[in-house]
């Protein structure tokens, strides 16, 4: 997930409309559904974000798969092949050398033995206030978490022997939540290139890693004469390395500059692109997601291929056909031009713009690492409930939603620290939900030192650390037809909150203020002068996170 690329794949939409794609996708196996939308930017720009998503504001994501087995964090299936890195050292010490025990051999250890999707999703909905739920369909590790029709390396055939997406989809629908799937496997093409490396030092210097293996190698017996567990499977269908290496492939960081398929990234074949397209449409057609997410620049394989445009058009047309003529679908894209933001919902990773956006958008964030990380657990580095709430309030004030990932252990369970954080956040959410769900931005999103700062987005986000530092002087606004909500992002030490935007005579708020209520408490005293609206809070805090005030005319 944590890609940092500054590339924008296209300069203008008009240039894209006229281009011929270098790697056009094949629809021979999975035809794109026809309908109101065509796979062009001009057509996709007719998209309107559905009302349900604009109202939802908060979702929870199970970014969970076989990379959670070792508990060393995100991207371990790539970094285990990077000699000398922490993840590589951990893998060698606990599992073996990557020439003998590669990521393919970690897959059978992913059992999901304690996974209870219905219980988890019900907890997220009822106790945490989640309004939609996301599941991982595949990650850059190229392992499909469903009974995949077009990919033999999947969770029904290997590991859990369960259709993970089916379990999540049924649980979400039972809880009454819209269901989303994230797809990341398009980048396995370059992401797995380190699997074709070899040690540069030590006793195994020059010994190739298992990214060189082929299906034929699986029929060769082990040293003790036993059969290989993966006999009959093709490791190249997993690692996807039957191609020339990208420029700078031994540079561990070069992939970030190549995320948009430029700067010397090896161009994927039509067969590879079409396989990802087929797998994605297979999952969409089976599980009928309301939302789909891609961890890419703009759309999958863009601008090399029309695959992503066809997936988006298929998603929208299918939604219209199954929702009585209404398009209730959401497709996310990162690093978008203004024109592209009319066709897709803009996703910002671990961050936010510092202004109200005209169109709804989403921040995807995580309370820890994207894949389960024992180091974060042991060092108590999860985001606190207060930090999660601060980020949510800030995002919603700017017309955004927050999708929060809760890392699960390989067995399918959150740890007790995560549960405690969610319960504390959920307690706050139950009382203050009316200031979040179903609201819209006010005339300004907020006031305070951070609101008044020029905070830049780094690539596709990565500026959330600025917002998590917000204190009591940081104010955020949301509104409904009836009320204005004022949230201070921490409890003030002096027991009062001053809001300049609501001063007597302010051009932002014309009219009288008849009543101010602290949610979870009741009416509170206030004084309105030409300098500010000053609210006196009760001596006893009514929650442990932050106060939310309801303003009535």
């Amino acid at each position: 997930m944590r890609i940092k690329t500054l590339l924008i794949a296209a300069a203008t939409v008009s240039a894209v409309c006229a281009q011929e794609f270098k790697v056009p996708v094949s629809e021979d196996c999975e035809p794109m559904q026809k309908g109101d939308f065509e796979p062009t930017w001009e057509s996709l720009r007719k998209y309107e974000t559905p009302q349900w998503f604009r109202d939802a504001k908060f979702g929870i994501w199970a970014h969970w798969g076989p990379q959670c087995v070792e508990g060393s964090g995100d991207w371990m299936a790539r970094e285990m092949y990077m000699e000398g890195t922490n993840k590589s050292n951990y893998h060698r010490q606990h599992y073996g050398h990557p020439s003998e025990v590669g990521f393919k051999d970690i897959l059978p250890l992913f059992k999901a033995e304690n996974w209870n999707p219905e219980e988890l999703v019900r907890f997220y909905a009822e106790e945490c206030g989640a309004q939609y739920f996301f599941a991982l369909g595949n990650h850059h590790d190229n392992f499909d978490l469903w009974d995949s029709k077009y990919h033999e390396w999947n969770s029904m055939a290997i590991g859990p022997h369960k259709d993970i997406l089916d379990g999540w989809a049924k649980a979400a629908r039972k809880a009454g939540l819209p269901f989303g799937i994230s797809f990341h496997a398009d980048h396995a093409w370059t992401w797995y290139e380190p699997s074709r490396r070899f040690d540069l030092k030590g006793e195994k210097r020059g010994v190739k890693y298992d990214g060189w293996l082929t299906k034929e190698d699986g029929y060769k017996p082990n040293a003790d004469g036993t059969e290989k567990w993966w006999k009959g499977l093709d490791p190249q269908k997993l690692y996807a390395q039957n191609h020339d290496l990208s420029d700078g492939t031994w540079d561990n960081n070069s992939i970030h500059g190549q995320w948009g398929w430029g700067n010397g990234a090896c161009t994927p074949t039509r067969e590879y692109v079409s396989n990802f397209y087929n797998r994605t449409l297979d999952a969409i057609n089976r599980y009928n997601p309301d939302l789909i997410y891609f961890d890419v620049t703009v759309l999958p394989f863009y601008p090399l291929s029309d695959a992503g445009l066809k997936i988006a058009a298929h998603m929208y047309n299918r939604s219209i056909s199954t929702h009585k003529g209404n398009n209730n679908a959401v497709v996310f894209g990162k690093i978008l031009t203004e024109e592209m933001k009319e066709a897709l919902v803009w996703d910002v990773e671990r961050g936010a713009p510092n202004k109200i956006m005209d169109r709804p958008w989403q921040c995807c964030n995580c309370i820890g690492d994207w894949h389960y990380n024992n180091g974060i657990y042991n060092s108590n580095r999860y985001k606190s409930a207060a930090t999660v709430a601060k980020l949510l309030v800030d995002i919603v004030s700017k017309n955004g939603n927050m999708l929060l990932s809760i890392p699960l252990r390989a067995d399918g369970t959150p740890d007790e620290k995560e549960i405690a954080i969610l319960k504390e956040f959920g307690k706050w959410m139950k009382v203050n939900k009316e200031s979040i769900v179903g609201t819209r931005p006010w005339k300004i999103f907020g006031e305070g030192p951070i609101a008044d700062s020029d905070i830049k987005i780094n690539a596709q986000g990565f500026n959330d650390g600025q917002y998590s530092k917000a204190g009591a002087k940081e104010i955020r606004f949301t509104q409904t037809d009836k009320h204005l909500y004022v949230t201070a992002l921490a409890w003030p030490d002096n027991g009062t909150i001053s809001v300049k935007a609501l001063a007597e005579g302010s051009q932002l708020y014309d009219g009288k203020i008849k009543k101010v209520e602290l949610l979870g408490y009741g009416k509170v005293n206030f004084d309105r002068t030409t300098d500010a609206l000053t609210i006196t809070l009760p001596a006893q805090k009514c929650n442990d996170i932050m106060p939310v005030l309801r303003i009535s005319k």
Side-chain angles (χ1 to χ4, degrees):
M1 270 287 297
R2 45 154 183 71
I3 313 304
K4 294 185 178 180
T5 172
L6 296 175
L7 297 176
I8 295 180
T12 64
V13 171
S14 59
V16 174
C17 290
Q19 81 178 76
E20 292 185 6
F21 292 99
K22 186 176 181 179
V23 190
V25 73
S26 169
E27 295 183 56
D28 290 347
C29 295
E30 290 289 342
M32 185 196 85
Q33 182 151 336
K34 305 298 183 183
D36 293 353
F37 289 91
E38 297 292 333
T40 66
W41 289 113
E42 183 179 8
S43 178
L44 295 175
R45 285 173 66 192
K46 296 183 296 184
Y47 174 73
E48 293 292 336
T49 311
Q51 189 77 13
W52 75 260
F53 180 76
R54 298 195 68 192
D55 290 339
K57 304 302 180 188
F58 178 60
I60 285 184
W61 189 5
H63 191 281
W64 171 64
Q67 288 184 82
C68 297
V69 167
E70 297 192 13
S72 59
D74 199 35
W75 281 36
M76 64 76 49
R78 172 179 163 88
E79 294 180 31
M80 62 168 281
Y81 296 107
M82 295 178 177
E83 184 182 11
T85 64
N86 291 335
K87 291 181 177 68
S88 177
N89 292 339
Y90 185 88
H91 176 81
R92 292 169 187 234
Q93 292 167 11
H94 294 86
Y95 296 89
H97 190 268
S99 64
E100 301 161 351
V101 184
F103 187 68
K104 71 181 187 313
D105 303 294
I106 300 302
L107 298 177
L109 306 180
F110 176 55
K111 299 292 187 183
E113 62 271 26
N114 295 315
W115 175 56
N116 187 328
E118 186 175 319
E119 181 180 278
L120 281 171
V121 177
R122 183 173 62 247
F123 171 68
Y124 297 150
E126 296 179 1
E127 300 300 321
C128 308
Q131 303 296 300
Y132 56 104
F133 174 79
F134 249 95
L136 189 70
N138 48 41
H139 199 250
H140 312 316
D141 59 20
N142 210 24
F143 185 73
D144 285 354
L145 291 158
W146 75 93
D147 186 15
S148 186
K149 183 178 178 181
Y150 298 100
H151 193 49
E152 60 190 25
W153 296 87
N154 67 73
S155 63
M156 183 61 82
I158 303 166
H161 299 288
K162 299 173 183 177
D163 188 325
I164 302 296
L165 283 188
D166 183 62
W168 284 128
K170 289 176 178 175
R173 300 272 152 65
K174 187 168 184 177
L177 298 185
F179 176 61
I181 305 174
S182 66
F183 301 96
H184 312 237
D186 51 320
H187 272 91
W189 183 264
T190 52
W191 194 81
Y192 262 136
E193 285 187 13
S195 71
R196 285 213 164 186
R197 293 182 186 177
F198 44 83
D199 281 4
L200 297 177
K201 57 185 179 181
E203 62 181 20
K204 289 187 179 294
R205 179 180 178 182
V207 177
K208 293 179 179 179
Y209 303 155
D210 74 328
W212 293 90
L213 292 175
T214 66
K215 185 174 182 177
E216 288 69 31
D217 291 315
Y219 290 95
K220 301 173 184 177
N222 293 309
D224 60 2
T226 58
E227 287 189 341
K228 292 183 170 63
W229 75 265
W230 51 275
K231 179 180 178 180
L233 295 171
D234 185 357
Q236 290 310 311
K237 294 290 180 66
L238 178 69
Y239 297 134
Q241 293 308 302
N242 277 333
H243 62 78
D244 293 336
L245 295 173
S246 300
D247 292 351
T249 187
W250 279 80
D251 178 351
N252 292 342
N253 294 314
S254 63
I255 192 171
H256 301 304
Q258 297 171 342
W259 205 247
W261 300 105
N263 290 346
C266 179
T267 299
T269 63
R270 190 182 191 204
E271 178 185 12
Y272 181 79
V273 170
S274 297
N275 178 257
F276 176 83
Y277 166 86
N278 289 335
R279 288 154 64 186
T280 305
L281 260 63
D282 175 41
I284 291 171
N285 295 339
R286 288 191 194 207
Y287 309 110
N288 296 309
D290 304 284
L291 318 91
I292 56 173
Y293 167 104
F294 301 107
D295 187 15
V296 300
T297 302
V298 186
L299 283 169
F301 303 108
Y302 187 83
L304 297 179
S305 176
D306 56 352
L309 292 169
K310 286 188 173 181
I311 293 170
H314 177 87
M315 183 75 174
Y316 293 161
N317 290 334
R318 182 175 174 81
S319 180
I320 291 170
S321 70
T322 56
H323 290 90
K324 298 180 180 179
N326 296 315
N327 183 10
N328 286 337
V330 180
V331 179
F332 297 99
K334 297 182 178 181
I335 312 185
L336 305 177
T337 65
E338 291 306 311
E339 293 86 353
M340 292 171 181
K341 289 174 185 175
E342 297 177 24
L344 309 169
V345 172
W346 181 40
D347 182 84
V348 179
E349 183 176 343
R350 293 189 185 267
N354 210 34
K355 63 181 181 179
I356 297 174
M357 301 304 297
D358 293 335
R359 300 181 68 86
W361 59 282
Q362 176 181 267
C363 165
C364 61
N365 213 319
C366 184
I367 66 168
D369 204 349
W370 287 111
H371 279 100
Y372 193 84
N373 191 322
N374 290 321
I376 287 180
Y377 170 86
N378 292 330
S379 58
N380 293 314
R381 288 188 287 121
Y382 287 132
K383 287 182 175 66
S384 67
T387 295
V388 171
K390 284 182 185 181
L391 294 174
L392 175 63
V393 170
D394 178 74
I395 289 162
V396 172
S397 74
K398 300 167 182 175
N399 205 24
N401 289 22
M402 183 167 76
L403 177 63
L404 183 69
S405 172
I406 308 299
L408 300 178
R409 294 173 288 197
D411 71 347
T413 61
D415 62 52
E416 80 284 356
K417 294 179 182 179
E418 294 174 308
I419 293 172
I421 292 167
L422 288 173
K423 285 184 175 179
E424 183 181 354
F425 169 78
K427 184 179 179 182
W428 179 89
M429 189 71 165
K430 284 182 178 180
V431 173
N432 299 287
K433 179 179 176 181
E434 68 176 83
S435 68
I436 301 292
V437 177
T439 64
R440 296 292 182 268
W442 192 47
K443 297 174 183 177
I444 59 173
F445 75 84
E447 62 181 48
I450 295 174
D452 296 337
S453 301
D454 183 17
I455 299 175
K456 303 296 186 184
I457 284 179
N458 179 13
Q460 64 263 48
F462 301 106
N463 64 358
D464 63 335
Q466 299 291 323
Y467 298 104
S468 63
K469 299 173 184 177
K473 292 183 179 180
E474 207 66 46
I475 305 296
R476 295 294 180 267
F477 304 101
T478 57
Q479 66 175 335
T480 62
D481 291 339
K482 293 183 178 180
H483 301 292
L484 173 66
Y485 295 92
V486 176
T487 304
L489 298 189
W491 287 92
D493 292 334
N494 63 2
T496 62
I497 296 173
S498 293
V499 186
K500 295 177 182 178
L502 299 181
E504 187 76 46
S506 169
Q507 294 181 352
L508 294 170
Y509 193 94
D510 56 348
K512 294 182 178 180
I513 294 177
K514 293 184 178 179
K515 183 168 60 175
V516 178
E517 298 166 279
L518 175 64
L519 298 187
Y521 175 81
K523 289 177 64 175
V524 290
N525 294 325
F526 65 92
D527 182 34
R528 194 181 189 196
T529 68
T530 55
D531 292 324
L533 173 71
T534 302
I535 300 110
T536 303
L537 300 175
Q540 186 69 34
K541 297 178 183 177
C542 57
N543 65 64
D544 296 327
I545 294 181
M546 57 186 162
V548 181
L549 300 159
R550 181 169 59 206
I551 310 295
S552 302
K553 287 188 177 182

